[in-house]
């Protein structure tokens, strides 16, 4: 059955401050949503829309919202949408919730969300996503420590609640406690992360804005000189690494790099990441 929600521990494997587990908001939810008693599993009864759910409490920067895709409905196209809102869901009238996160809820101006790539939406996949202190949202699958940038523009000066749209192909999701996931940095380590000679100036400030830490890596060139927001802007605009002008195929979020620099590269069989979409 995989990882389940458990009472908070005094320590957390992921290094995050321990806080109460996240559950779904018990009554502010789309009209098609049914939940289990503990509000950790949400499923959509019918159609492909009206599947919005929210977290029951605000989520901290870098705190992972971890979901298992527990049921698929193959007759629809496109699946799960994830995001954050700075509109307290407790103040929303459930009957007035829009049918979709994207674009309806996003258009209200206090939510950012996006659709996940199809390969992240298969039944059994574990999706984690989080927002950083600049309002950029990254996501990773199946407990892998590296994330991929999804979108930016989240208002981090406000409390933020997770928004999950159980849309289309995604029929049910289960909230998991991220600290109970197996640490998955052996066979799945992208080899680039362990070559110190390819990591320039990591830990320094971003070479574009000089305001934030450089914490991403452009692939395939491996330049790791940019913060999450600047990387995302580069990807959306020129699409080329400012240092070497190579076309950027994907962007890795490397907040975990510092802890892993000491690891020897034994990952000949390591797989490459998924492309950013
Ligand atoms: Zn920057
Ligand atoms: Zn480059």
């Amino acid at each position: 059955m995989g990882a389940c929600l458990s009472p908070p521990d005094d320590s957390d494997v992921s290094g995050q401050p321990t806080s109460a587990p996240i559950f779904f908001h018990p009554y502010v939810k789309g009209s098609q949503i049914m939940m289990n008693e503990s509000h950790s599993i949400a499923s959509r009864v019918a159609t492909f829309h009206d599947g919005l759910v929210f977290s029951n409490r605000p989520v901290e920067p870098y705190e992972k919202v971890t979901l298992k895709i527990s049921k698929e409905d193959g007759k629809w196209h496109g699946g799960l949408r994830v995001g954050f809102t700075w509109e307290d869901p407790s103040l929303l009238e459930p009957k007035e919730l829009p049918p979709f996160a994207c674009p309806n809820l996003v258009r209200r101006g206090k939510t950012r969300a996006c659709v996940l790539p199809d390969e992240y939406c298969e039944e059994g996949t574990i999706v984690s996503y989080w927002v950083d202190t600049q309002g950029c949202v990254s996501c990773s699958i199946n407990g892998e420590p590296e994330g991929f940038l999804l979108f930016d523009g989240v208002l981090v000066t406000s409390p933020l609640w997770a928004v999950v749209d159980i849309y289309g192909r995604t029929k049910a999701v289960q909230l998991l406690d991220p600290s109970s996931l197996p640490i998955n940095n052996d066979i799945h380590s992208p080899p680039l992360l362990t070559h110190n000679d390819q990591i320039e100036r990591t830990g320094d400030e971003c070479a574009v804005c000089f305001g934030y830490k450089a914490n991403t890596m452009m692939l395939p060139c491996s330049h790791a000189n940019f913060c999450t927001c600047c990387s995302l802007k580069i990807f959306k605009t020129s699409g080329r690494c400012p240092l070497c002008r190579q076309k950027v195929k994907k962007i890795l979020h490397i907040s975990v790099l510092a802890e892993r620099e000491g690891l020897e590269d034994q990952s000949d069989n390591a797989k490459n990441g998924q492309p950013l979409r």
Side-chain angles (χ1 to χ4, degrees), residues 133-134 204-214 227 230:
T133 49
Q134 294 167 263
D204 287 357
E205 76 277 12
C206 169
V208 173
C209 67
F210 298 102
Y212 290 99
K213 215 176 146 212
C227 70
C230 290

Side-chain angles (χ1 to χ4, degrees), residues 24-89:
F24 292 121
H25 197 288
Y27 61 87
V28 180
K29 56 188 177 63
S31 60
Q32 292 293 329
I33 289 297
M34 296 276 288
M35 284 187 201
N36 65 341
E37 220 168 90
S38 65
H39 306 121
S40 60
I41 300 174
S43 31
R44 195 186 65 244
V45 180
T47 77
F48 61 96
H49 50 73
D50 288 302
L52 278 172
V53 284
F54 300 86
S55 60
N56 65 328
R57 63 160 173 86
V59 176
E60 297 296 319
Y62 295 105
E63 180 179 5
K64 285 183 174 165
V65 179
T66 297
L67 301 161
K68 181 178 177 179
I69 316 272
S70 47
K71 199 163 182 205
E72 262 189 278
D73 183 348
K75 70 172 179 281
W76 308 109
H77 289 290
L80 193 63
R81 284 99 210 269
V82 297
F84 289 99
T85 183
W86 47 105
E87 188 167 21
D88 182 349

